Amino acid sequence: MSVLVVQGLSKSFGGVQAVGDVSFAVAPGEMLALIGPNGAGKSTCFNMVGGQMPPDAGSVVLDGKPITGLGPRAISRHGVGRTFQITATFGSMTVRENVQMALLSHRGKIWQFWRPVAGRYADEADALLAQVGLEAQADRATGVLAYGDLKRLELAIALGNAPRLLLMDEPTAGMAPAERVGLMQLTRKLATERGVAVLFTEHDMDVVFDVSDRILVLNRGTLIAEGDGASIRTNPAVREIYLGTGATSGGH
Amino acid sequence: MDSIIPQLLTGLAGASSLFLVASGLTIIFGVTRIVNFSHGSLMMLGAYIGWSILTRLPREPEWFVLGIIATVLATAVIGVLLEVVVLRRVYRAPELFQLLATFGVVLILQDVTLWIWGPVELPLSRPRWLRTAFDVAGSRLPMADLILIIVGPVVLGLLWLVMNRTRWGTLVRAATLDREMVAALGVDQRLLFTSVFALGAGLAGFGGALSLMSASANLHIDLAVITDAFVVVVVGGLGSLTGAFAASLLIGILQAFGIVLIPKSTLVLVFLVMAVVLVFRPNGLMGRPQADAREALVAAPVVRPAPRELRLLSLATLLLAIVAPFFVGDYYLTVLTDACVAVIFATSLHFMMGPGGMASFGHAAWFGIGAYAAGLLMQWIGAPMPIGLLAAPIAAGIVAALFGWFVVRLSGVYLSMLTLAFAQIVWAICFQWVELTGGDNGMLGLVRPEWARDERVFYWVALALTVAVALLLRRALYAPYGYALRAVRDSATRARAIGLNVGWLRMAAIVIAGAACGLSGALFSYGKGSIFPTYITISHSVEALLMVLLGGLQTIAGPIIGALVYTGLADILMRSTDLWRLVLGAVIVLLVVAFPEGIAGAARRLWLRGREA
Ligand SMILES: Nc1ncnc2c1ncn2[C@@H]1O[C@H](COP(=O)(O)OP(=O)(O)OP(=O)(O)O)[C@@H](O)[C@H]1O
Ligand SMILES: [Mg+2]
């Protein structure tokens, strides 16, 4: 059974359709890439699945439960972790504390006024940080991290609620090419080992073809192709868009 | 109804004078993003300068017009000075520090005005032509009102022309929409900002000079006007000229009719309108959502546990505070008790403002509610002090919960303004409901029990409560709740994505801050033995802001240091010089320019220099 089933998702901004009638499904352990040129509607799709924006039409079903139109908080409680295109972390905390917050929230320990945060779930947080290669930076201020490291931190935070579904909006933006492959292969490993479904978007096509199981191509809000790396590579419509815009890597 | 026409005309005249001040304020905000507290002071200066000029001129209408023009130019020049000397240096500082700096300017200008023109109100003896009145639909329309009614729309029209038909106006509009874009266009920002300030100040001066037609120049204009102007600008939508005009009309007319229909409730009415507008239109009638650009600009530093040295220092200070009554005289004992109250007052504001990211401009409301709760309980059922001290935080907490429901949705300046509005409502109720609160005469005879009648014992009680509150709040900030509150402030998006309930977390912060502040109000009242509506004035709310910002938002020790420094400073200043406002204002401005992160923040930065990666 699929972890995530999306049907007929649509969204317009002031009469301009950003996403129109998009449907897809992600299976446990599967890495599904959602690609498309700038402004194709990828982030809008992520935001509708993650609850940051309510869809105009369509349905989102997670593990058989409808979550359409729920807020981000409820959706996170249903086991969805996500990273943002523009990183969102807690700047006044250390790297470790960022992850501790995710763990505390996941375990319902937020409404406590007495016992200090220091040391709580610290080992678990460090383990998550080690997974994304940030263990050496655990005590540093989040504000001083390099952009690539912030992206890693976001992944560690997203893993904090032991998600069934990971939404990753341009998870490797701002990283060197070698790092990108490394991080996505790590994600691949997590997906396979824990059966986490991963929906991600990425401008680096090498990374996309390297780690994804399946690829969806979005253009101007509609899906124009779906398939494995080989079939997408040779798809004339896709070639048209990409050769037309010349963007094969690093949109940002 | 007979009174509709005259009330309407009075309302229109009032609306025009509101608009003159509010238009400048909103243009300045639109371009510079500075909420200029000293805008009311510019109007006050306009009134005084206008008085000085007009009383020296012949009394014919043409000389009157010339005098007004001279006044406008003079205030515009003062605005330019203000911009060049002070505000230019704080554009990059966080919003609140800008506000603090402009409040420093308010204090400075108060004393300068007092020093030049003296404490007596200065009425303009009106020439005969100004004393005429017209007959409109059977009622009398004074010349002054007629002039105002005409001036308002004319100014709106001229501003519209300037904004839409000149290159300068295009720049101003572009800067209001997107400041970065204008910077990118290579426009000389300094010149733009300075000229905008000149225009805004000139408008305020115009309003001040015209106010002489029906009122005298006095030293209360500044704060009275700035509150009204804030309300108008916020209701209209920050940065929107037409919004400001619509809001001026709404509020001017409402005030005029309110006085007739329900004489006692005009203040409440005005602020109620503002609250209602903000609940339904969080960006005002015609405002657009404020970009959160500033949030990203200044990432708050990481909060770390206090270093050992600071703990030792705190312990030493506490020991000193405990034994102090054996060494100091009665006078200093009351100063120390006041300092305790100030510490609770400031730490409670810091709780919601620093970690919570919600800057309250009306913190004194909780102070007053706590005080009156204790006072009323004593009046009604003779509740003794311990009950009063318990009831005060409960009452303030409950009211804070009701109020919090309105404000958790808002952010930034709008939130600050709604808190200000709420405090004004509370003030108005306490001031106007004489049967309940004694109004201006206050509530007297709040007695302490036998055991606490000795000043020293009462001081120790206050100290114990202060230490307890400070430690509890500190504890909460290091606990998961405090971290979650900070998480919400740092990134609401991320906070929601990990499952935090943004609304309830902020709500709890408001309730906790309100309750703690309520305790400080009751404590203060038992110390003085009486309660007055002045506990809830804007100045008192601003004092809390000053303490917190002086000490620094980003450290937990900040508000404590700020409260102590402020209490000490105010005490020394008030006893050593008549110009204490001037000195205090100058100190504030200097501090903001030199240490935008506050005393504790600056100390922390120096301390950490080289210690943090
Ligand atoms: N909040 C919004 N309000 C108005 N329009 C929006 C909003 N969010 C997105 N859009 C518009 O919707 C379209 C799709 O945007 P979206 O961010 O989903 O694209 P994307 O595929 O993620 O692009 P990129 O690769 O640049 O991140 C764009 O035209 C964008 O301008
Ligand atoms: Mg995107």
Side-chain angles (χ1 to χ4, degrees):
Chain A
M1 197 182 86
S2 299
V3 174
L4 174 70
V5 179
V6 167
Q7 234 145 23
L9 218 50
S10 303
K11 180 91 192 170
S12 303
F13 295 109
V16 182
Q17 185 149 74
V19 172
D21 198 20
V22 165
S23 306
F24 58 84
V26 199
E30 185 185 27
M31 298 270 290
L32 179 62
L34 180 64
I35 65 169
N38 291 134
K42 305 179 296 288
S43 295
T44 307
C45 283
F46 277 90
N47 288 339
M48 287 189 287
V49 175
Q52 278 77 25
M53 263 177 203
D56 293 345
S59 71
V60 184
V61 177
L62 186 79
D63 278 327
K65 288 186 285 277
I67 57 165
T68 324
L70 291 185
R73 204 169 73 80
I75 287 180
S76 130
R77 296 255 174 261
H78 277 90
V80 177
R82 77 163 290 179
T83 70
F84 293 91
Q85 180 166 355
I86 299 167
T87 53
T89 54
F90 306 133
S92 72
M93 299 181 197
T94 64
V95 170
R96 180 186 293 120
E97 285 166 351
N98 266 271
V99 183
Q100 281 175 288
M101 284 319 291
L103 294 168
L104 283 163
S105 172
H106 180 50
R107 293 189 172 61
K109 300 272 160 66
I110 287 299
W111 290 92
Q112 296 184 351
F113 294 81
W114 191 249
R115 234 181 98 197
V117 167
R120 294 175 73 177
Y121 305 116
D123 294 341
E124 223 173 307
D126 284 348
L128 284 171
L129 287 172
Q131 274 191 336
V132 300
L134 275 181
E135 67 274 33
Q137 320 237 34
D139 274 318
R140 292 186 78 191
T142 308
V144 303
L145 290 190
Y147 198 66
D149 287 340
L150 277 180
K151 290 275 178 189
R152 277 179 229 279
L153 173 56
E154 276 214 301
L155 177 56
I157 296 172
L159 292 172
N161 68 338
R164 296 274 298 126
L165 170 70
L166 259 182
L167 303 172
M168 301 171 81
D169 197 350
E170 305 205 10
T172 70
M175 292 185 179
E179 281 184 297
R180 296 182 183 181
V181 175
L183 186 79
M184 290 319 288
Q185 272 167 354
L186 165 75
T187 313
R188 159 95 269 172
K189 202 175 96 201
L190 289 172
T192 315
E193 282 173 3
R194 304 186 183 181
V196 179
V198 179
L199 177 67
F200 72 105
T201 175
E202 179 57 63
H203 279 286
D204 184 337
M205 288 305 142
D206 295 335
V207 174
V208 170
F209 290 128
D210 193 38
V211 300
S212 61
D213 294 305
R214 210 152 44 92
I215 302 172
L216 298 172
V217 187
L218 200 61
N219 190 31
R220 300 188 183 186
T222 47
L223 285 181
I224 58 160
E226 175 176 359
D228 62 5
S231 73
I232 293 295
R233 240 189 259 262
T234 53
N235 185 313
V238 177
R239 289 181 70 88
E240 157 93 33
I241 298 171
Y242 275 88
L243 294 178
T245 61
T248 50
S249 67
H252 301 267
Chain B
M1 215 163 106
D2 297 342
S3 63
I4 282 190
I5 301 273
Q7 290 316 319
L8 191 67
L9 293 173
T10 315
L12 289 177
S16 280
S17 36
L18 275 177
F19 176 67
L20 286 183
V21 189
S23 56
L25 190 64
T26 209
I27 294 175
I28 290 177
F29 176 84
V31 174
T32 65
R33 296 286 188 275
I34 284 192
V35 178
N36 182 16
F37 235 118
S38 62
H39 204 70
S41 312
L42 290 170
M43 170 159 173
M44 180 172 79
L45 282 178
Y48 275 99
I49 294 173
W51 182 88
S52 288
I53 293 178
L54 291 172
T55 45
R56 284 173 176 73
L57 291 179
R59 294 161 65 86
E60 281 75 41
E62 54 273 24
W63 286 103
F64 185 81
V65 173
L66 265 180
I68 299 266
I69 292 176
T71 309
V72 170
L73 292 178
T75 32
V77 170
I78 294 174
V80 169
L81 274 178
L82 203 63
E83 200 271 347
V84 171
V85 176
V86 179
L87 295 165
R88 178 170 290 181
R89 288 162 220 288
V90 300
Y91 285 136
R92 302 234 157 263
E95 224 164 57
L96 280 167
F97 285 92
Q98 299 174 338
L99 210 102
L100 196 61
T102 60
F103 192 77
V105 174
V106 171
L107 293 176
I108 294 175
L109 291 182
Q110 258 176 6
D111 264 0
V112 169
T113 314
L114 176 68
W115 187 62
I116 298 179
W117 284 281
V120 187
E121 287 194 13
L122 300 177
L124 186 71
S125 74
R126 289 178 294 163
R128 174 165 306 143
W129 63 268
L130 196 50
R131 273 178 279 158
T132 47
F134 301 89
D135 195 53
V136 176
S139 59
R140 218 176 134 270
L141 174 65
M143 182 65 146
D145 282 5
L146 178 71
I147 293 177
L148 279 175
I149 291 175
I150 294 170
V151 157
V154 167
V155 167
L156 177 68
L158 287 177
L159 285 174
W160 189 87
L161 280 179
V162 169
M163 293 299 161
N164 291 283
R165 291 282 184 274
T166 66
R167 189 182 125 74
W168 185 82
T170 314
L171 283 179
V172 168
R173 279 187 303 133
T176 305
L177 286 179
D178 185 350
R179 205 160 133 197
E180 276 69 33
M181 190 178 80
V182 176
L185 287 176
V187 171
D188 184 354
Q189 282 214 36
R190 293 185 148 210
L191 203 61
L192 182 66
F193 284 18
T194 311
S195 52
V196 160
F197 241 92
L199 175 67
L203 284 168
F206 191 29
L210 286 185
S211 75
L212 287 173
M213 296 189 302
S214 50
S216 50
N218 66 72
L219 289 166
H220 304 291
I221 294 180
D222 52 356
L223 285 182
V225 158
I226 196 64
T227 344
D228 284 350
F230 275 159
V231 173
V232 167
V233 167
V234 164
V235 168
L238 284 162
S240 161
L241 263 180
T242 34
F245 190 74
S248 300
L249 280 180
L250 179 69
I251 288 173
I253 291 174
L254 206 74
Q255 271 176 337
F257 281 101
I259 287 216
V260 179
L261 299 177
I262 11 180
K264 278 192 166 184
S265 63
T266 43
L267 266 169
V268 179
L269 208 61
V270 166
F271 286 97
L272 223 52
V273 168
M274 169 161 160
V276 170
V277 168
L278 282 189
V279 165
F280 289 102
R281 294 191 60 95
N283 295 302
L285 291 176
M286 301 191 188
R288 46 184 74 241
Q290 294 297 308
D292 296 333
R294 198 169 293 280
E295 221 171 282
L297 265 180
V298 271
V302 168
V303 174
R304 311 238 185 218
R308 223 169 66 91
E309 288 82 349
L310 181 60
R311 286 158 186 254
L312 288 178
L313 192 67
S314 315
L315 205 65
T317 314
L318 180 59
L319 287 178
L320 216 62
I322 293 173
V323 298
F326 296 114
F327 303 104
V328 303
D330 281 351
Y331 175 77
Y332 279 104
L333 201 55
T334 48
V335 175
L336 283 176
T337 312
D338 288 352
C340 288
V341 172
V343 167
I344 308 185
F345 193 36
T347 42
S348 59
L349 175 61
H350 170 265
F351 192 85
M352 67 180 283
M353 186 169 152
M358 295 173 286
S360 169
F361 277 35
H363 201 56
W366 317 125
F367 191 93
I369 290 172
Y372 278 102
L376 288 174
L377 273 185
M378 190 203 66
Q379 246 178 28
W380 292 338
I381 57 168
M385 186 174 87
I387 305 281
L389 288 180
L390 188 68
I394 294 176
I398 291 174
V399 182
L402 296 175
F403 171 68
W405 185 83
F406 286 97
V407 296
V408 284
R409 271 169 275 245
L410 301 173
S411 61
V413 180
Y414 286 96
L415 186 143
S416 303
M417 291 300 138
L418 196 59
T419 51
L420 179 78
F422 178 76
Q424 285 299 95
I425 294 178
V426 175
W427 176 79
I429 292 173
C430 294
F431 186 75
Q432 294 176 332
W433 198 346
V434 179
E435 301 78 32
L436 187 73
T437 63
D440 208 10
N441 296 327
M443 207 181 253
L444 307 175
L446 200 65
V447 286
R448 304 202 288 251
E450 203 66 55
W451 57 268
R453 211 150 285 172
D454 179 51
E455 287 302 332
R456 273 196 265 179
V457 175
F458 184 72
Y459 164 71
W460 279 317
V461 170
L463 183 65
L465 285 173
T466 305
V467 172
V469 169
L471 286 180
L472 280 175
L473 291 182
R474 180 180 174 281
R475 188 89 201 187
L477 287 181
Y478 282 115
Y481 169 76
Y483 268 71
L485 187 61
R486 207 140 47 83
V488 166
R489 176 200 67 187
D490 285 355
S491 168
T493 311
R494 171 50 71 197
R496 290 195 186 96
I498 64 168
L500 299 184
N501 192 328
V502 170
W504 283 111
L505 284 164
R506 299 177 91 198
M507 175 75 143
I510 294 173
V511 172
I512 292 170
C517 182
L519 177 67
S520 70
L523 205 54
F524 187 74
S525 309
Y526 282 111
K528 304 291 173 207
S530 48
I531 307 168
F532 296 99
T534 48
Y535 293 3
I536 317 172
T537 51
I538 298 180
S539 310
H540 196 215
S541 290
V542 170
E543 269 183 33
L545 275 171
L546 280 176
M547 294 177 202
V548 172
L549 293 176
L550 274 181
L553 273 179
Q554 307 305 351
T555 56
I556 290 173
I560 300 177
I561 297 173
L564 296 178
V565 169
Y566 181 85
T567 313
L569 208 64
D571 178 62
I572 294 170
L573 280 179
M574 270 189 240
R575 280 183 303 128
S576 56
T577 164
D578 283 338
L579 296 177
W580 64 272
R581 285 190 211 85
L582 182 92
V583 181
L584 185 63
V587 169
I588 293 171
V589 171
L590 284 179
L591 277 175
V592 172
V593 172
F595 309 108
E597 72 275 64
I599 301 171
R604 179 175 174 281
R605 179 165 49 84
L606 294 177
W607 172 260
L608 285 178
R609 191 176 273 176
R611 285 174 218 239
E612 185 149 343

